[in-house]
């Protein structure tokens, strides 16, 4: 056997196979063919539903009896659970748990509701082998009202769901098991609205979020993705949670989250919960004291012991955290944050296998970001520089792939032992993943440095992956500004026209020390950040109408125009640190805002016209300019000096306030622009609904058009079953066709008759409508045909014959 290590996994390929082995494999293959119904049997790790639901403080929905179960260190001598009555904390009951071995302790028998009931507080006392005695909260706490205090017994059965119709083959429901017979939607049909609960509304709660999502179905979205709701010390993006089963009390707690999910289902929206399997936040984490959950730290915080000593039940812990959101909160799917930093593909496989086995409707999306790995149908994988994704991530787990292992025990061993290739160990079993590569190639294109070959590859490989123009990361991980101001920076040459004051120089010095870069590099980064902030301020001021008084369009006197321009320099440019010699005036800001607005429309339409799942971040469905800063508040971190040095702003309450939707008082023109962009997104959603080629269809590579010199790109999506065909053209360049310098654009369409169904230059979306193609375009599939192309626009055509 030859073993090649790739990315920490073993790639096993036999160097020679004898006749007996061949005969055995042929015989086994025949058996597999005869048992095709078993071939796709979901893989199980042998964990029953009862096992999954046995951990923590469990309330029997019928008898209301309570049981407790916890994982701690294997050498622990004794574990007690102490319960305080909710109405009288002076009344307590302490129970000694039975030692079941391997660090598992649980109640010897169910406890009556007269003694222990919903709402009571409790904690564990762990008597460790080294003599230490620790009081800890429950790692399986389903409600955690006090971050480092006692856990609260929470009876999930008390909430009365009324989403029964959602599960009766509702045509809006997205499911891994979707097919033509059950009428459900495949994940490829997902059009996801991602939001952060804390900043979505002024109140920042699950309850308040209902007021926003009730309109999402009207715009055409069919899914919401809630950024992590795991309990934390205070407000943040959600990625610093420490209670993996308990929704944040700051956002409204478990009942409000259930209300939100229930409400979403009533309005035809699928719910995706973002969860964090790779680390714990800095405040309120007690797993290290509790048991063998933690192995050390990664770049985010405490990381989990998924593959070290005593790790079996730690993997189960994360599986149960995933199942919690699906079982107890009726989430339709999960998005797992930065799975590569779990450093455990075996845990990823177990999560996928167990959810697929017990909840086969639920779907999984990974944010993995590994690339350039391919995998074949046997689960063998290898480095592939031409593959922009790690193909293992979204290949489904299958049984009998190599013709071995028929019992559930053998299936389990095949998955858990990563040196054994019985059952597609090259696969991770997720349904989709966030598409970093698509974003980066699109980003290059929108900034005018498109590589047609790379972008074609990105589109083709993105058909099963979640694609987006911007996510919370692409906005917030930098200076926090939206796409429009980001695009205005190079258009206004702001990077070359920023002046640094003494505070900026001081921060550059600190940045040099913090990041270990040269002073010149630190100065460059601080200047770039300041340019971004300046562009954001200019865009917001423009859309609020604050710059209208500097408009010189209708001024007839040279002296008046000069005075207006001087006032603009004094009142606007100077406070933003923009050089007075930059040449930037009101007209330039308005023109470049308009161009950036058009580019935003262009890439949004281009993304929605690519087959497969799509996602939009809060506010981007209307080109809102509200920033999304990196905000958080910790008890253990009293000062965030390093983050201020790195980002140019403090990440506390002021950053949250800036990032909260609804803060900008737009002018009439600003509100009109919002309506125009919302119209575009609404129509793009409608086109996806009506055209299977953009859902379950596929791109035809031979019909892709790549005109590198003119920066025109087109591709062809087809759904064979419905014979639906869509052809999308994007003009990334700033030249319109026809214009004073160019005739109509000639491009080869696939054979047939085509009608334009969307053009981002349409008046409805803020264009002038001059470049619409209002007549049927007929193509023989060989010769180029003329079309009208507005600069920086996307056109979508549908085949009618």
């Amino acid at each position: 056997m030859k073993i090649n290590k790739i990315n920490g996994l073993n790639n096993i390929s036999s160097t020679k196979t004898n006749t007996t082995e061949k005969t055995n494999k042929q015989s086994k293959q025949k058996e597999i063919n005869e048992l095709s119904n078993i071939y796709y049997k979901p893989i199980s790790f042998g964990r029953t539903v009862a096992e999954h639901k046995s951990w923590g403080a469990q309330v029997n929905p019928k008898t209301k009896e309570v049981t407790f179960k916890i994982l701690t260190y294997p050498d622990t001598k004794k574990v007690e659970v102490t319960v305080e009555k909710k109405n009288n904390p002076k009344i307590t009951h302490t129970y000694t748990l039975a030692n079941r071995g391997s660090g598992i302790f649980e109640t010897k028998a169910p406890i009556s509701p007269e003694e222990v009931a919903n709402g009571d507080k409790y904690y564990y006392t762990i008597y460790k082998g080294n003599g230490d005695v620790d009081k800890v909260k429950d790692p399986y706490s389903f409600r955690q009202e006090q971050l480092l205090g006692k856990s609260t017994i929470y009876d999930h059965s008390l909430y009365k769901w009324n989403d029964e119709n959602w599960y009766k083959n509702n045509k809006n429901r997205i499911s891994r098991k979707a097919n033509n017979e059950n009428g459900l939607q495949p994940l490829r049909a997902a059009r996801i609205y991602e939001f952060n609960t804390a900043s979505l509304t002024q109140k920042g709660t699950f309850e308040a979020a209902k007021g926003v999502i009730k309109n999402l179905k009207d715009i055409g979205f069919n899914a919401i993705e809630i950024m992590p709701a795991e309990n934390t010390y205070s407000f943040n993006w959600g990625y610093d949670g420490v209670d993996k089963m308990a929704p944040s009390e700051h956002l409204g707690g478990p009942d409000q989250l259930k209300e939100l999910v229930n409400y979403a289902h009533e309005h035809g929206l699928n719910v995706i919960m973002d969860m964090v399997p790779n680390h714990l936040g800095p405040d309120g984490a007690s797993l290290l004291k509790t048991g063998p959950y933690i192995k050390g730290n990664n770049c985010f915080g405490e990381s989990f012991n998924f593959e070290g000593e005593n790790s079996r039940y730690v993997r189960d812990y994360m599986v149960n955290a995933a199942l919690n959101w699906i079982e107890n909160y009726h989430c339709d799917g999960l998005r797992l944050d930065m799975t590569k930093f779990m450093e455990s593909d075996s845990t990823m496989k177990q999560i996928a296998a167990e959810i697929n086995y017990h909840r086969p409707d639920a779907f999984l999306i990974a944010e993995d970001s590994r690339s350039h790995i391919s995998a074949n149908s046997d689960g063998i994988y290898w480095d592939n520089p031409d593959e922009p994704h790690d193909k293992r991530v979204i290949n489904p787990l299958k049984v009998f792939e190599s013709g071995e292992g028929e019992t559930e025990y053998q299936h389990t061993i095949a998955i858990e032992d990563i040196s054994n290739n019985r059952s597609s160990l090259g696969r991770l079993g997720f349904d989709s993943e966030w598409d970093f590569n698509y974003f980066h190639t699109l980003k290059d294109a929108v900034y005018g440095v498109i590589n047609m070959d790379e972008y074609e590859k990105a589109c083709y490989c993105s058909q099963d992956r979640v694609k987006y123009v911007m996510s919370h990361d692409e906005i917030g991980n930098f200076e926090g500004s939206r796409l429009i101001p980001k695009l205005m920076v190079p258009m206004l040459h702001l990077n070359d026209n920023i002046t640094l004051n003494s505070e900026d120089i001081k921060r550059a010095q600190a940045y040099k020390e913090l990041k270990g870069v040269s002073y010149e590099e630190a100065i460059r980064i601080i200047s770039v950040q300041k340019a971004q902030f300046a562009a954001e301020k200019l865009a917001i001021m423009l859309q609020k109408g604050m710059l209208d008084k500097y408009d010189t369009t209708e001024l007839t006197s040279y002296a008046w125009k000069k005075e207006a321009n001087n006032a603009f320099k004094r009142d606007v440019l100077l406070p933003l640190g923009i050089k007075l010699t930059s040449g930037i005036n009101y007209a330039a800001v308005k023109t470049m805002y308009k161009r950036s607005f058009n580019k935003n429309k262009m890439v949004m339409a281009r993304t929605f016209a690519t087959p497969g799942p799509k996602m939009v971040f809060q506010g981007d469905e209307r080109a809102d300019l509200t920033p999304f800063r990196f905000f958080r508040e910790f008890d253990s971190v009293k000062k965030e000096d390093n983050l201020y040095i790195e980002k140019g702003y403090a990440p506390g309450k002021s950053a949250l306030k800036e990032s909260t939707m609804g803060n900008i008082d737009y002018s009439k023109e600003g509100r009109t622009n919002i309506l125009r962009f919302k119209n575009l997104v609404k129509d793009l959603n409608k086109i996806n609904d009506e055209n299977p080629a953009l859902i379950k269809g596929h791109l035809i590579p031979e019909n892709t058009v790549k005109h590198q010199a003119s920066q025109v790109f087109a591709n062809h999506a087809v759904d064979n079953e419905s014979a639906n065909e869509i052809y999308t053209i994007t003009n990334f360049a700033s030249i319109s066709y026809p214009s004073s310098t160019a005739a109509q654009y000639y491009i080869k369409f696939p054979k047939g008759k085509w009608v334009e169904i969307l053009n981002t230059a349409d008046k409805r979306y803020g264009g002038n409508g001059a470049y619409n193609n209002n007549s049927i375009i007929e193509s023989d599939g060989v010769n180029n045909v003329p079309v009208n192309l507005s600069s920086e626009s996307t056109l979508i055509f549908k085949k009618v014959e």
Side-chain angles (χ1 to χ4, degrees), residues 234-245:
S234 184
F235 60 84
N236 56 54
W237 279 13
Y239 297 99
D240 289 306
V242 290
D243 299 306
K244 294 296 176 182
M245 318 282 172

Side-chain angles (χ1 to χ4, degrees), residues 542-600:
L542 179 72
Q543 292 307 292
K544 290 176 70 173
M546 296 171 63
L547 302 184
D548 291 351
K549 59 186 176 182
Y550 306 108
D551 185 0
T552 63
T553 305
E554 297 184 7
L555 297 179
T556 56
S557 166
Y558 173 79
W560 294 346
K561 290 185 177 182
K562 182 178 180 181
E563 173 56 31
N565 286 330
N566 286 339
F568 183 84
K569 292 179 181 179
R570 179 186 66 245
D571 301 340
V572 179
L573 299 187
L574 195 61
L576 295 177
I578 301 173
K579 294 178 182 177
L580 302 184
T581 56
S582 65
I584 298 173
N585 56 23
Y586 171 84
V589 173
K590 188 165 187 177
T591 299
M592 297 315 171
Y593 172 87
K594 180 65 174 176
R595 273 196 66 194
S596 299
F597 185 82
N598 288 341
K599 282 196 170 195
N600 199 356

Side-chain angles (χ1 to χ4, degrees), residues 733-748:
S734 57
I735 300 174
S736 295
Y737 305 89
S739 64
S740 59
T741 59
Q744 280 185 294
Y745 198 86
Y746 279 77
I747 191 169
K748 186 172 74 173

